[in-house]
Amino acid sequence: MFFSKLFAPTLRESPADAEVISHQLMIRAGMIRKVAAGIYNLLPLGTLVMQNVERIVREELTRAGAQEVVMPVVIPSELWRESGRWEEYGKELLRVKDRHGRDFCLGPTHEEVVTDMVRRDVKSYKGLPLNLYQIQTKFRDEIRPRFGLMRGREFVMKDAYSFHANEESAKEEYDKMFEAYSNIFRRCGLKFRAVEADSGNIGGSFSHEFMVLADTGEDEVVSCNSCDYAANTERAELKDHVSGQADHIKAQAETPEPKEVSTPGKKTIEEVSGLLGVPASKFIKTLVYDTDNGPVVALVRGLRNINEAKLRRAAGVARAELATDAVVEEITGAPRGFAGPVGLGDVRIIADFDIRAITEGVTGANKVDTHLLNVLPGRDFTAEYADLRTVEGLDKCPRCDKGRFEIHRGIEVGHIFMLGTKYSEAMDCTFIDEDGKSKPMIMGCYGIGIGRTAAAAIEQNHDDNGIKWPVPLAPYHVAVVLVDIKNDDLMEIATSLYYGLMDRGIPALLDERNERPGVRFKDIDLIGIPVRVTISKKTAAEESVEIKARGGEMDLFKYDKTMEEIYRLLGMVLPEQESKVTISSTPE
RNA sequence: CGGGGUGUGGCGCAGCUUGGUAGCGCACCUGCUUUGGGAGCAGGGGGCCGGAGGUUCGAAUCCUCUCACCCCGACCA
């Protein structure tokens, strides 16, 4: 590509609404432009990068034996009604009507469509396993799209779905996808971690998220500093480490009877802790939740946060939200801020394991302006115990019992998931097994956000000057900058190098714009091209070109060493028979 | 949806409190000079101030309504 022809409107300043660096740089580098909230145009540079991610995804999935298909964007409501998700999915599902008034939706994901496709034509175990994928535009009417391509409403996703005759086969495919995903993100030049994620209602621990580590990530992940356990903080487990230690039993025995203490107007743990001079870790935080199975009281240690997903699981409910003040008052007999587990009536109490470790605890007295001292779990109230608290750094690893958690922020670029028979049963996707019996297929699904992967790569690879693309994602691998554009001899050297690169399959950009060199260097850095070759009168006088890796130092190379050096910087090896090839020497 | 905020040339902003001819930087166009890290000078073009209604002799500015966008919360590739 000749830069003078390239549609890449670069900006010096970033638009005020771009928050994160990848969003800012994509706009400044002329890769994307916003059309509406969460909806973008991809300009040529953005398109090239997306194609690079897609190419890597295709290569790795093909190698893993998956087959590419294309499913529709507009999906009839009937399929979604069959799975029950037409009602369940909520407002994220953009529904439209056709001219006859029939209901359709824009596909946010394709379990229904692919299940329908497979059930029509696969009848026997002989047709299994099967892994079908597509790379396609999805639409999810997100409440709050943000961060450019990181969380758009319309976005390109690679979604794969596998079908199996039995669990073993499904697990095998899952492992294969795990491997393929690792290869994909490694090839994209990303530092990432596969972490355990919510397994949903089926499939044990068979769900992993692939997280690109970046401070701006929307997710938080923990990893053990001793073993290989890693999980999304939302899902990370903690074990019951506290029961039965000798000194603890002694402290329990020595805890005096509960005593009321007046705490007028002091509602928060911080306030009461300050007033009484008792550390917050002695507090039993008491939260009243409204669930679809009535109210539930949850207890966690002061300073710790409850994990509502864990609460939902422990309580066996689908919905749990903090109760309103009115409900709190009804359950505890006191206004918000003075709730405690002691003397509560007939209400379900679920406590975090850690609560059991408390002796001489402090909690609300279920009475206005009053708290209780010397509360001892087990003696003064009873509760069900479960893992309820959100993990934090330095918490003990539940797997190896030795290590401690480290916390990182991450961007979820991929998710692999065992679906089990949820869709195959709902939609009657069955096959005849070897034993002649009809069974529902076991399914897995596997997603990668293409644009999000590109954005994540920028989050991890940038500096003050702009993007620093990992070579496999770069829109062009090499920029050839001709400084003195009016000099025909130099132009010939530059174009000959440019075409030489193209002939070798190296995507190149020839910058022959009538701009001052500084402007052009800035643009090329901003766009993030990995290797820059500069040709000018000065370099030509030495029969050399100047080569500089993005972010590196510049060096002069004689014409016959040029290609070798470019290959080296791109992490490639010049083919043996080419080592003698030179770009055209100075014309006479 | 709840809470907060912003809408003024393509981009970044000022002007609004206290109504009186719409401004600055970048970008763009022309010319000259310049040409190794976002040039200088001179000239030039482009905005019904998000939209509708109202108050007023007069509204970017005050009032009402609306729309869009952004930020903080619960979802997700």
Side-chain angles (χ1 to χ4, degrees):
Chain A
M1 187 70 209
F2 284 33
F3 207 147
S4 64
K5 309 284 186 214
L6 180 66
F7 180 45
T10 57
L11 302 175
R12 280 199 206 191
E13 292 176 284
S14 35
D17 57 10
E19 275 276 297
V20 297
I21 195 75
S22 61
H23 187 194
Q24 292 171 356
L25 288 175
M26 279 190 179
I27 290 172
R28 287 191 53 208
M31 292 175 62
I32 62 170
R33 287 291 185 266
K34 184 167 72 177
V35 176
I39 300 176
Y40 290 86
N41 281 326
L42 287 180
L43 276 44
L45 290 175
T47 304
L48 287 168
V49 172
M50 296 284 274
Q51 286 170 346
N52 287 338
V53 177
E54 291 176 14
R55 193 194 63 247
I56 292 169
V57 167
R58 284 197 169 91
E59 286 175 7
E60 291 300 329
L61 287 181
T62 300
R63 180 174 306 181
Q67 303 174 61
E68 186 166 7
V69 298
V70 177
M71 291 182 261
V73 172
V74 176
I75 305 171
S77 61
E78 285 74 22
L79 288 176
W80 282 70
R81 290 207 163 93
E82 259 193 83
S83 70
R85 288 208 291 184
W86 183 259
E87 289 77 21
E88 278 170 26
Y89 210 89
K91 289 193 174 172
E92 246 181 56
L93 186 65
L94 185 67
R95 295 152 215 255
V96 294
K97 281 185 195 295
D98 73 3
R99 62 164 68 192
H100 305 291
R102 298 183 192 117
D103 288 319
F104 289 82
C105 63
L106 297 191
T109 176
H110 280 68
E111 284 82 4
E112 283 83 356
V113 179
V114 76
T115 302
D116 176 61
M117 172 165 40
V118 169
R119 72 179 169 184
R120 288 166 187 268
D121 288 296
V122 179
K123 304 291 184 192
S124 154
Y125 70 95
K126 290 174 189 164
L128 299 175
L130 190 59
N131 188 337
L132 303 173
Y133 78 96
Q134 63 174 346
I135 294 176
Q136 187 217 34
T137 299
K138 300 280 187 268
F139 195 93
R140 294 182 190 172
D141 201 357
E142 294 271 352
I143 294 167
R144 192 151 82 82
R146 58 183 146 175
F147 302 158
L149 295 194
M150 205 99 101
R151 179 190 294 278
R153 289 194 291 175
E154 186 177 297
F155 60 98
V156 176
M157 178 162 99
K158 184 287 297 178
D159 46 328
Y161 306 88
S162 68
F163 296 81
H164 307 273
N166 55 57
E167 294 277 355
E168 298 74 60
S169 164
K171 178 69 171 75
E172 221 170 273
E173 190 67 21
Y174 185 91
D175 292 342
K176 214 185 272 182
M177 286 296 110
F178 190 102
E179 191 61 34
Y181 273 41
S182 301
N183 291 340
I184 288 166
F185 296 123
R186 193 178 312 120
R187 283 183 61 187
C188 287
L190 295 166
K191 289 186 278 294
F192 67 96
R193 253 200 145 106
V195 305
E196 293 182 16
D198 187 16
S199 51
N201 29 15
I202 319 157
S205 65
F206 292 108
S207 174
H208 283 85
E209 290 167 339
F210 285 76
M211 293 285 188
V212 168
L213 302 180
D215 292 338
T216 48
E218 292 186 86
D219 287 275
E220 203 176 66
V221 298
V222 292
S223 56
C224 175
N225 61 10
S226 171
C227 72
D228 61 0
Y229 181 72
N232 193 313
T233 301
E234 289 173 359
R235 309 298 171 201
E237 304 154 21
L238 289 172
K239 270 208 326 215
D240 183 3
H241 282 295
V242 293
S243 42
Q245 286 151 18
D247 52 344
H248 179 239
I249 291 169
K250 180 158 170 278
Q252 282 181 318
E254 289 170 358
T255 295
E257 287 300 305
K259 191 173 76 177
E260 287 190 2
V261 55
S262 173
T263 52
K266 309 290 187 195
K267 296 185 174 187
T268 67
I269 288 183
E270 202 177 27
E271 288 166 352
V272 180
S273 167
L275 178 75
L276 301 178
V278 176
S281 60
K282 285 279 188 187
F283 280 65
I284 298 169
K285 195 193 282 188
T286 306
L287 301 158
V288 182
Y289 276 86
D290 219 1
T291 78
D292 44 46
N293 197 18
V296 169
V297 172
L299 309 179
V300 291
R301 201 193 263 266
L303 295 184
R304 298 302 296 242
N305 290 314
I306 190 160
N307 179 329
E308 293 185 1
K310 287 182 178 178
L311 175 66
R312 282 195 293 272
R313 239 172 300 157
V317 298
R319 184 185 65 84
E321 25 191 78
L322 273 175
T324 60
D325 287 7
V327 174
V328 171
E329 213 158 330
E330 186 187 320
I331 302 284
T332 68
R336 183 188 293 278
F338 302 99
V342 181
L344 279 184
D346 186 24
V347 63
R348 191 168 174 199
I349 302 176
I350 304 178
D352 184 66
F353 290 133
D354 203 20
I355 290 292
R356 239 183 332 218
I358 293 178
T359 55
E360 300 178 32
V362 178
T363 183
N366 299 322
K367 203 191 275 186
V368 188
D369 294 342
T370 312
H371 279 75
L372 275 184
L373 298 178
N374 301 332
V375 174
L376 184 63
R379 182 190 68 186
D380 301 325
F381 65 89
T382 54
E384 303 165 44
Y385 285 91
D387 173 20
L388 282 192
R389 66 195 195 272
T390 303
V391 299
E392 291 180 1
L394 298 182
D395 276 343
K396 214 174 203 183
C397 173
R399 285 296 150 79
C400 67
D401 286 333
K402 286 203 315 261
R404 300 280 176 173
F405 282 156
E406 289 171 2
I407 295 210
H408 304 279
R409 295 207 69 84
I411 300 163
E412 183 189 350
V413 290
H415 198 163
I416 59 176
F417 210 103
M418 276 297 270
L419 284 176
T421 55
K422 178 173 174 184
Y423 294 93
S424 50
E425 275 180 15
M427 297 182 64
D428 199 25
C429 178
T430 58
F431 67 102
I432 307 297
D433 207 348
E434 279 175 285
D435 57 13
K437 292 199 175 113
S438 177
K439 299 173 183 172
M441 297 183 195
I442 314 274
M443 292 173 60
C445 78
Y446 321 90
I448 290 179
I450 302 292
R452 189 180 276 187
T453 299
I458 295 176
E459 292 291 332
Q460 266 187 359
N461 301 284
H462 66 269
D463 63 14
D464 290 345
N465 287 321
I467 303 169
K468 292 161 75 173
W469 286 116
V471 172
L473 300 191
Y476 297 100
H477 291 184
V478 180
V480 179
V481 181
L482 175 59
V483 174
D484 305 289
I485 54 170
K486 299 212 171 79
N487 182 318
D488 291 342
D489 294 343
L490 294 181
M491 179 65 87
E492 196 167 328
I493 293 174
T495 50
S496 130
L497 172 57
Y498 167 72
Y499 286 113
L501 289 165
M502 301 282 277
D503 289 346
R504 290 170 178 77
I506 297 172
L509 185 62
L510 176 61
D511 189 354
E512 27 61 286
R513 289 177 297 167
N514 186 16
E515 290 283 354
R516 295 165 62 85
V519 173
R520 301 200 265 156
F521 294 150
K522 285 285 187 190
D523 271 345
I524 286 161
D525 282 354
L526 177 61
I527 290 167
I529 306 204
V531 176
R532 190 181 83 200
V533 182
T534 308
I535 294 169
S536 68
K537 283 180 201 147
K538 275 186 257 173
T539 61
E542 310 211 22
E543 304 224 317
S544 296
V545 298
E546 178 190 287
I547 303 181
K548 178 178 172 298
R550 177 73 175 80
E553 295 299 312
M554 49 179 95
D555 257 316
L556 279 181
F557 290 86
K558 293 287 183 192
Y559 291 151
D560 61 351
K561 297 289 183 199
T562 297
M563 204 55 83
E564 194 180 333
E565 176 64 6
I566 291 172
Y567 268 70
R568 192 184 70 76
L569 289 176
L570 292 175
M572 298 155 58
V573 177
L574 192 65
E576 188 64 26
Q577 67 275 19
E578 284 213 21
S579 58
K580 294 286 180 283
V581 173
T582 72
I583 62 173
S584 95
S585 52
T586 316
E588 47 278 67

